[in-house]
Amino acid sequence: MNIGEFNAAIMKYIYNIISYGIKLLKVKGLPSFGSFKVALADVLTVTTVLQLATFFEYPPVIIEELGTAASAGLLMIRYMEERGQIQPTSILTLLSALKKMCLSGTGDRVKKLYEEHTGRLCSSDGQSKAQNEEGDPGYGKSTLTLQAAYDWCLGNVALPLKTVAVFILLPLRLLGNISSIFEAIRLVLMPPESPLTDDDILEILRHSLSVVIVLDGYDEYPDRNSVKETDVMKMIAGKMFPNVKVVVSTRSSSLPTYLHSTTVTIRLTGFDEKSRDEYIKRTVTGGDQEASRRITNALNSSPILNDICQVPMFCVLFAHVANDQRGVIEFSSVTSFFKYVIDCFYSHMWRERS
Ligand SMILES: Nc1ncnc2c1ncn2[C@@H]1O[C@H](COP(=O)(O)OP(=O)(O)OP(=O)(O)O)[C@@H](O)[C@H]1O
Ligand SMILES: [Mg+2]
């Protein structure tokens, strides 16, 4: 499958999910906080309940009642709900209490149950709704976002996106002069004949319990210096859709100046030796140990080549080119490597044209 077909497949899938989402909202209703409470009751043992009640400074009479109740867990849940310590939209008070009581194992189980039953993500620090992913050119920002979209489409249950109901990936370079996020979603993700209106999309974004919107390539966003605030800017600043998790990727030289104060920043720093070798083994040589050794030896024999191959794009380029050279790998310098690559591009271009 080439990248065009891959993108088209993702878009079709997302379109189907969104259409299905509407039906789900209309027919079945929202995922259930009620079923989470039932599952939570099983996790809360009498000992945990009594520790929690003491931590929350419940009156002695309630603590006594909890100690003798037939189902201490269910009763505790009722008291926590009455006091706002657990709510359909957040259980952070409970999670933070469990952490402070050194019951992190229980906390992890409760968090997992909440996410599974309600479809809502709860970040462990309880604050961040935004994530900024920065890195220099060719360090893999767009690759990471595409991989995330692909994993989400496959519904890989071992990955953190498994509880995300709606995942939207928007390449910002396509969104010049488009100030509405609804128009952007329609333009990038939907076929022209789609019957979905702005209101339909708004309904999905408002009511789906966990939505992730990835804005890829802020440095390439044509309106980033515009005086008129676009929806993209509002989302990055945390002013729009507070329930949506927003991930922005950008080159380090073009960080948005108006990031929300709770934004978590992740910096991509390239391939270390281990990930480089793993990439060569898994993707380039298909496990052929002799071929992998030849490529890594060639890399290691030139300190400068080795250095530039920390950039994933160059590493990928070098590894594939070196793998094609079946005999001795002859790149003793960076110049000879790039000369070879440019020769390849040229002959490819002429072949395409003829
Ligand atoms: N983790 C990775 N695994 C395999 N290949 C990668 C990885 N990261 C990057 N690459 C390769 O490097 C190329 C460039 O990566 P990508 O386009 O993701 O960089 P970028 O950080 O988005 O750059 P830019 O700032 O120019 O947008 C990809 O097409 C891919 O071939
Ligand atoms: Mg990119």
Side-chain angles (χ1 to χ4, degrees):
M1 190 187 280
N2 66 32
I3 193 77
E5 288 167 343
F6 171 74
N7 281 340
I10 285 185
M11 284 166 195
K12 189 163 168 232
Y13 189 84
I14 291 174
Y15 172 72
N16 287 340
I17 290 280
I18 288 178
S19 310
Y20 175 69
I22 284 193
K23 280 191 211 134
L24 208 66
L25 286 175
K26 288 185 178 155
V27 179
K28 282 194 175 170
L30 300 171
S32 163
F33 181 62
S35 70
F36 160 70
K37 289 193 287 184
V38 174
L40 177 62
D42 285 340
V43 176
L44 297 179
T45 61
V46 179
T47 316
T48 313
V49 163
L50 293 178
Q51 281 175 292
L52 267 173
T54 311
F55 181 89
F56 287 140
E57 298 182 348
Y58 286 4
V61 58
I62 291 188
I63 297 183
E64 208 179 304
E65 186 191 1
L66 286 164
T68 52
S71 172
L74 279 176
L75 188 59
M76 182 67 192
I77 287 168
R78 206 186 82 205
Y79 283 130
M80 287 194 291
E81 207 174 357
E82 280 171 8
R83 288 161 173 75
Q85 288 152 342
I86 56 167
Q87 298 168 29
T89 51
S90 170
I91 56 159
L92 290 169
T93 309
L94 170 62
L95 291 182
S96 134
L98 289 169
K99 196 169 167 192
K100 286 182 187 147
M101 290 156 55
C102 298
L103 294 175
S104 293
T106 310
D108 289 346
R109 280 174 67 198
V110 171
K111 178 170 174 257
K112 194 158 170 260
L113 285 176
Y114 177 78
E115 292 183 343
E116 277 170 4
H117 283 265
T118 66
R120 192 180 272 274
L121 284 180
C122 49
S123 59
S124 51
D125 59 6
Q127 293 297 318
S128 173
K129 297 255 182 337
Q131 186 171 307
N132 176 50
E133 208 180 79
E134 59 157 291
D136 292 323
Y139 272 69
K141 301 178 294 295
S142 301
T143 306
L144 186 61
T145 58
L146 274 174
Q147 182 69 47
Y150 183 68
D151 287 340
W152 180 78
C153 286
L154 292 185
N156 191 337
V157 289
L159 295 164
L161 289 172
K162 67 176 186 284
T163 53
V164 171
V166 177
F167 182 98
I168 295 175
L169 169 58
L170 299 174
L172 289 180
R173 78 191 138 78
L174 302 179
L175 304 187
N177 290 324
I178 297 177
S179 61
S180 149
I181 193 72
F182 307 113
E183 203 184 331
I185 290 173
R186 258 203 312 275
L187 173 88
V188 177
L189 298 176
M190 310 217 171
E193 69 278 12
S194 163
L196 292 190
T197 63
D198 285 3
D199 284 345
D200 291 332
I201 299 173
L202 181 63
E203 192 182 350
I204 293 167
L205 294 182
R206 282 234 180 99
H207 296 293
S208 297
L209 288 180
S210 96
V211 180
V212 173
I213 298 188
V214 182
L215 305 168
D216 181 40
Y218 179 77
D219 52 291
E220 298 172 279
Y221 182 41
D223 295 345
R224 67 184 184 285
N225 296 320
S226 144
V227 269
K228 183 172 172 247
E229 197 179 32
T230 62
D231 284 357
V232 163
M233 293 167 171
K234 287 183 200 155
M235 290 178 69
I236 294 174
K239 294 184 199 163
M240 199 176 176
F241 300 133
N243 61 323
V244 169
K245 178 131 190 153
V246 178
V247 180
V248 193
S249 83
T250 183
R251 289 185 181 178
S252 306
S253 54
S254 302
L255 291 178
T257 49
Y258 45 85
L259 284 173
H260 190 261
S261 57
T262 58
T263 302
V264 173
T265 294
I266 296 170
R267 186 170 159 75
L268 302 189
T269 54
F271 279 177
D272 57 14
E273 206 173 308
K274 188 164 163 252
S275 33
R276 186 195 73 184
D277 292 350
E278 203 174 308
Y279 176 81
I280 293 172
K281 207 161 52 193
R282 282 207 339 220
T283 315
V284 183
T285 63
D288 178 342
Q289 292 200 351
E290 181 48 39
S292 305
R293 221 180 349 260
R294 258 178 358 104
I295 298 173
T296 37
N297 284 347
L299 255 182
N300 292 334
S301 65
S302 161
I304 303 182
L305 210 47
N306 201 1
D307 210 36
I308 68 163
C309 283
Q310 280 173 18
V311 182
M313 188 176 71
F314 291 137
C315 179
V316 168
L317 200 58
F318 176 84
H320 285 281
V321 167
N323 192 44
D324 286 346
Q325 286 199 343
R326 296 280 161 212
V328 185
I329 298 170
E330 287 180 359
F331 305 126
S332 52
S333 68
V334 175
T335 314
S336 62
F337 166 57
F338 278 107
K339 190 169 168 302
Y340 183 89
V341 169
I342 289 168
D343 278 350
C344 286
F345 285 156
Y346 254 115
S347 39
H348 181 70
M349 191 177 79
W350 288 122
R351 263 205 308 274
E352 290 253 295
R353 289 197 175 171
S354 57

